[in-house]
Amino acid sequence: PRPASITRCSVSQNKLVERCERLQLQSAAISRHVDEVLPAKDQGVLSAASAARELVVQRLLLVGKACENEEQRLLERVHAEEERAHQSILTQQVHWTEALHKLGALRTYLVDVITNLDDQSLLRAEQEIFERMEVAEGILEPQESLKLNFNQTCVQSPLLHRLWACAVLCCLTGSQEIHIDEKTLSPHLSLSEDKRTLTFSPKKAKVDSDSPERFDHWPNALATAPFHSGVCAWKVSVEQSCAYKLGVCYSSVPRKGSANEGRLGFNAASWVFSRYDKEFRFLHAGQPQPVELIKAPAEIGVLLDFAGGELLFYDPDSCAILFSHHVAFLEPVYPVFAVAHQSISLVL
């Protein structure tokens, strides 16, 4: 038998040879990675980036072309509506100018008859007078006509509406800086320290319910400041709640008592999007309008165009307009909130 030292030496040599072979294979793999894989990856990145740029350019060109076509179409409709209303007004001007001329001539004739004819002549002229008076009676007083007004529906465009809403809520202005006014808080609601999350509790908190600013029964709250001009937008996370309301209201919204008048959307001073369980509605003045949704949104964007008189509710995730309402606001409006299950939060 060989000495033990020689056996150990042979084993060590074999291990070293095996290690060298593994190192050689490892080095070859790394070399292939450096020489072949990484250059191919780099080329793939360059190709993918080029294709991505081309995709962005092509899609934006397509959107731009669609916007240009829509712009041209809508401007042509505006021009046609302007011409139509203008021609209607001109036609009315001609008609009423002729009517004035006829009435003036009749009045002159009657004054002349009264002044210059004796009784016998007046009796002989009775038929002529009657015929001329009949002409005057056929001239009715001017009435208000929609044909004389500019029809704003000529600018209605689903494409423009969606792009505008998406740009305001998701791309351009984003959320306004809105905070909830703790002084308006219902005793059923608590407010987070950052004044952005409202949480419902069935048990009333001990607060000063006599304060004129506070909602003393229904689970409502107002924002600290109103909007009175321009375009405003804010987003609310609603995924935790299945009972809430979002929208705007006048400062005169009823705040006291358990009557229906104090519920948001059940008076003439509030406009809200409402969810109760699986039922979605738009509410104003106690007249609900159902909103059909396939799934409940996790966030809702609220867009207020004060000058344009539009209140719009939007799903930022799907870029879908949930509901749009046109109204001429007569005074500043406050963002308003209600929650009767879990919590909702303003989103930055």
Side-chain angles (χ1 to χ4, degrees):
R2 294 194 300 174
S5 60
I6 295 175
T7 301
R8 287 198 303 274
C9 181
S10 177
V11 170
S12 296
Q13 285 178 340
N14 290 337
K15 287 183 178 179
L16 289 175
V17 169
E18 182 181 347
R19 172 64 66 177
C20 287
E21 289 175 349
R22 288 209 305 269
L23 289 174
Q24 186 175 4
L25 292 173
Q26 187 176 4
S27 298
I30 292 173
S31 295
R32 281 196 302 275
H33 188 74
V34 171
D35 296 339
E36 300 174 14
V37 176
L38 290 181
K41 287 286 186 183
D42 192 44
Q43 187 60 44
V45 167
L46 291 174
S47 298
S50 178
R53 290 189 188 94
E54 184 65 25
L55 180 64
V56 169
V57 170
Q58 285 184 356
R59 288 189 174 180
L60 286 176
L61 282 174
L62 181 62
V63 171
K65 187 65 177 176
C67 288
E68 288 177 5
N69 292 341
E70 190 71 350
E71 176 188 22
Q72 185 63 32
R73 186 180 73 85
L74 292 175
L75 290 178
E76 288 175 357
R77 286 181 61 182
V78 169
H79 178 71
E81 175 60 16
E82 180 184 27
E83 285 294 305
R84 183 208 59 76
H86 180 63
Q87 288 300 321
S88 294
I89 292 169
L90 287 179
T91 301
Q92 289 275 298
Q93 285 176 334
V94 171
H95 172 77
W96 292 112
T97 299
E98 291 177 355
L100 280 174
H101 178 73
K102 289 178 181 179
L103 292 174
L106 177 60
R107 186 175 183 278
T108 301
Y109 167 75
L110 293 176
V111 170
D112 183 63
V113 166
I114 294 168
T115 304
N116 298 319
L117 295 186
D118 54 28
D119 292 347
Q120 289 185 349
S121 299
L122 186 61
L123 289 173
R124 286 195 298 270
E126 189 174 21
Q127 182 60 33
E128 183 182 355
I129 293 171
F130 174 77
E131 291 174 355
R132 294 202 180 195
M133 289 291 290
E134 213 173 29
V135 172
E137 289 174 1
I139 300 174
L140 304 177
E141 290 188 8
Q143 301 292 324
E144 174 61 31
S145 172
L146 293 177
K147 292 181 179 180
L148 303 180
N149 299 328
F150 184 85
N151 186 356
Q152 293 288 346
T153 61
C154 69
V155 295
Q156 288 182 351
S157 163
L159 174 62
L160 180 59
H161 205 208
R162 287 177 179 274
L163 287 175
W164 171 72
C166 184
V168 172
L169 281 165
C170 302
C171 304
L172 300 179
T173 57
S175 296
Q176 306 294 126
E177 187 65 23
I178 291 177
H179 296 286
I180 296 167
D181 188 351
E182 196 163 9
K183 297 190 297 295
T184 68
L185 217 61
S186 160
H188 285 290
L189 300 179
S190 61
L191 185 62
S192 61
E193 289 186 7
D194 62 5
K195 300 188 186 305
R196 289 186 174 276
T197 299
L198 284 170
T199 301
F200 173 77
S201 172
K203 185 178 179 180
K204 283 188 175 183
K206 294 181 179 180
V207 295
D208 180 13
S209 296
D210 294 331
S211 169
E213 296 169 294
R214 188 181 301 280
F215 293 95
D216 69 351
H217 179 80
W218 297 107
N220 305 338
L222 293 185
T224 53
F227 294 114
H228 52 78
S229 63
V231 176
C232 319
W234 57 98
K235 299 176 190 176
V236 185
S237 173
V238 294
E239 61 183 338
Q240 301 297 323
S241 179
C242 64
Y244 58 80
K245 294 176 182 176
L246 312 171
V248 297
C249 70
Y250 292 148
S251 62
S252 60
V253 66
R255 308 192 190 197
K256 303 300 179 185
S258 59
N260 256 2
E261 184 68 13
R263 298 169 66 188
L264 296 181
F266 284 79
N267 50 66
S270 58
W271 298 258
V272 293
F273 180 90
S274 163
R275 177 186 180 183
Y276 184 75
D277 197 14
K278 296 181 180 180
E279 183 179 57
F280 297 88
R281 300 184 297 175
F282 174 78
L283 297 169
H284 172 64
Q287 298 179 349
Q289 298 183 54
V291 178
E292 300 296 332
L293 298 181
I294 296 175
K295 68 171 186 174
E299 284 186 8
I300 294 179
V302 184
L303 192 159
L304 169 67
D305 184 354
F306 195 92
E310 182 173 10
L311 179 65
L312 184 150
F313 300 93
Y314 187 87
D315 182 357
D317 290 336
S318 64
C319 295
I321 295 173
L322 305 177
F323 193 83
S324 179
H325 180 72
H326 289 270
V327 54
F329 294 109
L330 303 177
E331 58 185 89
V333 292
Y334 287 80
V336 68
F337 313 87
V339 57
H341 171 255
Q342 298 288 4
S343 63
I344 59 174
S345 301
L346 283 160
V347 179
L348 284 172

